[in-house]
């Protein structure tokens, strides 16, 4: 099939590459000239395991352009994958509407326009109206929300839990089901508003699990229980499930914080006060204060002028993405309390430098830890799971380890002479 994908962010680039892998001819359109120039040279704008290689393998079927005229006229299915960021709590739809207008202006034959961007449920009528202003050509609107995780984008796209197909006409569903046939996972065909709400509801429910685990972690500290064990035990119940119950510093990234905020706002506009979600949001921020209080206590009541080393800056491992990373809030809190902050990350340092000032960055954790008075594990990169703690013990001035992701073995660290605390263990 001839396809076009609008937006060369995570979702767009991965979608385009995967459909090209399955033999389709795919145009990827983005208005960012530098991005397209780089992509033509095989350079991808972010770190995502395996993606660069898969793009290179499929260059014969993948075409990059800034020009809608080049891509749209010959395509049967067009995916809109542009960002819908949060602006003062509102879903910012200007990029989305602009993409819809540009598609409409360049339609030459009937096509299916599939919305992959996260958009407010029920928005299709508005989009249809906008597009019809610019074209007389027939088009169908469909909604196939995206559920990929950064760092696991290819795996999640090739083997998702489910493929949601929101449509108005059965023939459109048939065509989209055919396009997705090489992708595994369950299928759900529904109306477009439901498809759009499935995305928001999922991105609000997973943070609910995380914030719940985090709230229980505080109780674990108080009752002398181990939150990892508590969550393991809870997760054994098939009705609860083991995923997204890792307690720690809470959720970040470009999706959960944005979509939780957006759903609260959308609900308010629909005259519903979504109180549970407000509490989820609050619990996520409170967890940072809880962590900072622990650090200050373990450092003897003050961290003023003390060298504190933060391990991990990206919002989670296997990505260079710093959006809403917990490290930002931790580092700001440390600096407010007068600490001298050093920070390490295997891939996110250049991104972090754009956001954080007054921090010394190190690629090598051992270099950073010389003379440090506390080691804080903030993002659980594999590199930081396998540290040589014997060596670290010799390097640090004071052997305090505060484990924001509960990955280290307490007994082992205490045996080596560290003062160790996780969150809820
Ligand atoms: C999330 C969803 O998982 C995807 O399904 C969705 O497609 C995507 O948002 C999106 O809307 O585009 P992502 O933001 O890449 O994916 O990251 P996750 O792996 O879900 O992690 C989000 C945050 O939750 C991270 O900061 C992570 O550290 C935190 N987390 C995750 C926990 O604190 N505990 C857990 O048990 C799991």
């Amino acid at each position: 099939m001839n396809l076009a994908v609008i937006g060369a962010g995570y979702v767009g680039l991965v979608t385009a590459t995967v459909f090209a892998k399955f033999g389709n001819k795919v145009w990827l359109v983005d208005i960012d000239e530098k991005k397209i120039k780089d992509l033509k040279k095989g350079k991808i704008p972010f770190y995502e395991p395996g993606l660069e290689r898969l793009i290179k393998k499929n260059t014969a079927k993948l075409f990059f352009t800034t020009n809608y005229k080049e891509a749209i006229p010959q395509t049967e299915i067009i995916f809109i994958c542009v960002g819908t960021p949060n602006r003062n709590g509102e879903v910012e739809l200007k990029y989305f509407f602009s993409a819809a207008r540009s598609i409409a202006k360049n339609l030459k034959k009937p096509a299916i326009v599939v919305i992959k961007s996260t958009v407010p449920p029920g928005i299709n009528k508005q989009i249809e109206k906008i597009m019809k202003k610019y074209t007389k050509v027939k088009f169908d609107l469909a909604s196939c929300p995206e559920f990929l995780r950064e760092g696991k984008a290819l795996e999640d796209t090739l083997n998702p839990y489910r493929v949601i197909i929101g449509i108005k006409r059965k023939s459109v569903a048939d065509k989209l089901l055919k396009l997705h046939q090489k992708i595994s996972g369950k299928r759900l065909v529904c109306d477009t508003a439901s498809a759009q709400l499935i995305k928001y509801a999922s991105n609000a429910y997973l943070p609910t699990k995380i914030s719940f685990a985090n709230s229980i972690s505080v109780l674990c500290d108080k009752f002398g229980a181990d939150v990892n064990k508590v969550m393991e035990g809870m997760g054994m119940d098939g009705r609860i499930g083991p995923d997204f119950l890792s307690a720690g510093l809470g959720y970040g990234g470009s999706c959960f914080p944005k979509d939780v905020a957006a759903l609260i706002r959308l609900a308010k506009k629909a005259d519903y006060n979504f109180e549970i979600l407000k509490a989820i949001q609050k619990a996520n921020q409170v967890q940072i204060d809880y962590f900072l209080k622990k650090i200050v206590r373990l450092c003897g009541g003050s961290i003023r002028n003390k060298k504190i080393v933060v391990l991990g800056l990206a919002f989670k491992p296997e990505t260079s993405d710093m959006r809403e990373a917990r490290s930002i809030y931790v580092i700001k809190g440390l600096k407010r309390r007068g600490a001298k902050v050093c920070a390490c990350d295997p891939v996110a340092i250049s991104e972090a430098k754009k956001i954080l000032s007054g921090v010394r960055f190190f690629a090598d954790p051992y270099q950073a830890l010389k003379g440090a008075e506390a080691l804080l594990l903030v993002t659980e990169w594999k590199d930081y799971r396998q540290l040589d703690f014997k060596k670290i013990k010799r390097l640090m001035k004071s052997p305090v380890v505060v484990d924001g992701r509960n990955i280290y073995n307490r007994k082992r660290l205490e045996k080596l002479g560290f003062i160790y605390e996780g969150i809820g263990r």
Side-chain angles (χ1 to χ4, degrees):
M1 275 191 220
N2 279 328
L3 310 178
V5 173
I6 317 298
Y10 265 98
V11 174
L13 196 46
V14 174
T15 302
T17 309
V18 165
F19 283 130
K21 172 185 154 64
F22 291 140
N24 301 286
K25 179 180 171 189
V26 189
W27 280 94
L28 182 59
V29 188
D30 198 295
I31 50 169
D32 186 332
E33 295 201 0
K34 184 172 180 311
K35 222 184 224 182
I36 291 298
K37 229 176 168 174
D38 284 348
L39 283 166
K40 281 183 176 170
K41 286 188 220 148
K43 237 170 94 183
I44 68 166
F46 44 77
Y47 173 74
E48 182 62 40
L51 185 57
E52 204 166 295
R53 223 184 48 205
L54 197 60
I55 291 177
K56 280 197 183 127
K57 262 178 109 174
N58 291 286
T59 40
K61 285 167 278 164
L62 259 177
F63 303 89
F64 302 106
T65 183
T66 52
N67 191 353
Y68 280 77
K69 243 186 217 155
E70 235 180 325
I72 302 301
Q74 68 269 29
T75 51
E76 297 153 71
I77 302 178
I78 303 155
F79 288 92
I80 307 185
C81 302
V82 299
T84 49
N86 187 318
R87 182 164 300 230
N88 307 323
E90 290 284 338
V91 185
E92 171 68 270
L93 289 166
K94 71 175 180 199
Y95 308 110
F96 181 77
F97 287 143
S98 153
R101 270 194 301 272
S102 302
I103 292 169
K105 282 180 194 166
N106 290 287
L107 276 182
K108 292 280 179 280
K109 60 176 197 182
I112 302 174
V113 178
V114 184
I115 302 164
K116 262 197 179 287
S117 306
T118 305
V119 292
I123 201 175
N124 285 29
K125 268 196 192 131
Q126 205 181 334
I127 305 166
E128 208 172 304
K129 219 166 130 191
I130 292 176
M131 288 183 67
K132 278 186 174 162
K133 268 195 208 161
Y134 297 91
T135 187
K136 293 269 171 291
V137 179
K138 279 208 162 133
F139 63 88
D140 279 284
L141 283 179
S143 201
C144 292
E146 181 53 60
F147 300 99
L148 65 81
R149 284 164 294 179
E150 290 182 22
K152 290 191 176 147
L154 285 178
E155 192 184 314
D156 283 353
T157 307
L158 293 166
N159 306 302
Y161 288 108
R162 77 295 212 190
V163 174
I164 304 290
I165 298 190
I167 39 93
K168 236 162 109 176
R169 286 198 306 136
K170 188 181 169 297
S171 61
V172 174
D174 294 342
K175 202 155 178 191
L176 290 176
L177 285 167
K178 191 167 168 222
L179 178 67
H180 285 85
Q181 73 190 358
K182 289 193 177 140
I183 290 174
S184 66
K186 293 178 179 165
R187 265 70 176 147
L188 180 72
V189 176
C190 58
D191 62 279
T192 53
S194 299
Q196 288 155 352
L197 195 52
I198 287 170
K199 170 69 186 188
Y200 273 111
S202 303
N203 270 12
Y205 185 69
L206 292 170
T208 302
K209 287 186 87 175
I210 298 169
S211 278
F212 185 84
N214 284 335
S215 300
I216 293 289
S217 77
V218 177
L219 287 186
C220 287
D221 273 341
K222 292 192 188 297
F223 299 148
D226 179 342
V227 73
N228 286 1
K229 287 284 165 220
V230 175
M231 292 304 139
E232 193 184 334
M234 277 177 68
M236 284 172 175
D237 184 328
R239 293 169 301 175
I240 297 172
D243 295 336
F244 281 73
L245 287 177
S246 298
L249 287 168
Y251 58 85
S254 64
C255 306
F256 287 170
K258 161 181 89 77
D259 291 344
V260 169
L263 194 52
I264 293 173
R265 191 71 164 228
L266 288 168
K268 188 174 176 211
K269 277 191 170 168
D271 202 20
Y272 176 63
N273 180 6
F274 211 145
E275 294 223 54
I276 304 174
L277 276 192
K278 289 182 185 168
I280 295 310
Q281 227 178 11
K282 193 166 171 208
N284 200 44
Q285 279 317 109
V286 163
Q287 203 69 1
I288 301 286
D289 297 332
Y290 186 63
F291 187 58
L292 289 164
K293 275 191 191 136
K294 256 184 204 280
I295 299 160
V296 171
R297 175 172 47 77
L298 292 167
C299 288
S302 167
I303 52 172
R304 185 154 298 280
N305 291 323
K306 291 187 178 167
K307 178 177 175 181
I308 310 283
V309 176
V310 171
L311 296 187
L313 290 161
F315 88 90
K316 66 173 188 177
E318 299 298 334
T319 178
S320 55
D321 199 334
M322 284 292 297
R323 283 175 287 179
E324 282 297 311
R326 300 293 87 192
S327 64
I328 301 171
Y329 296 95
V330 169
I331 288 174
K332 285 188 176 164
L334 293 171
K335 284 179 60 194
R336 268 199 309 276
R337 289 162 179 80
K340 292 186 207 154
V341 183
C342 297
C344 307
D345 194 282
V347 301
I349 289 180
S350 58
E351 280 305 307
K353 279 183 179 167
K354 296 179 195 163
I355 305 169
L356 294 161
S357 58
V359 178
R360 290 184 64 202
F361 294 100
F362 293 82
D364 178 6
Y366 301 103
Q367 280 287 329
L369 284 161
K370 276 183 197 154
E373 298 195 48
L375 176 163
L376 314 181
L377 190 275
V378 172
T379 312
E380 66 280 30
W381 282 95
K382 199 169 158 213
D383 294 11
Y384 303 148
R385 288 179 186 270
Q386 298 157 350
L387 291 174
D388 179 349
F389 274 101
K390 271 191 193 152
K391 182 171 167 185
I392 290 175
K393 177 73 182 16
R394 289 195 299 272
L395 292 172
M396 289 179 77
K397 188 171 165 191
S398 159
V400 173
V401 173
V402 196
D403 181 357
R405 298 290 175 181
N406 288 343
I407 61 167
Y408 296 131
N409 183 320
R410 167 198 287 280
K411 275 195 191 133
R412 195 175 155 252
L413 289 194
E414 284 180 349
K415 219 168 150 189
L416 288 172
F418 284 96
I419 299 163
Y420 172 88
E421 254 191 53
I423 296 194
R425 321 161 71 190

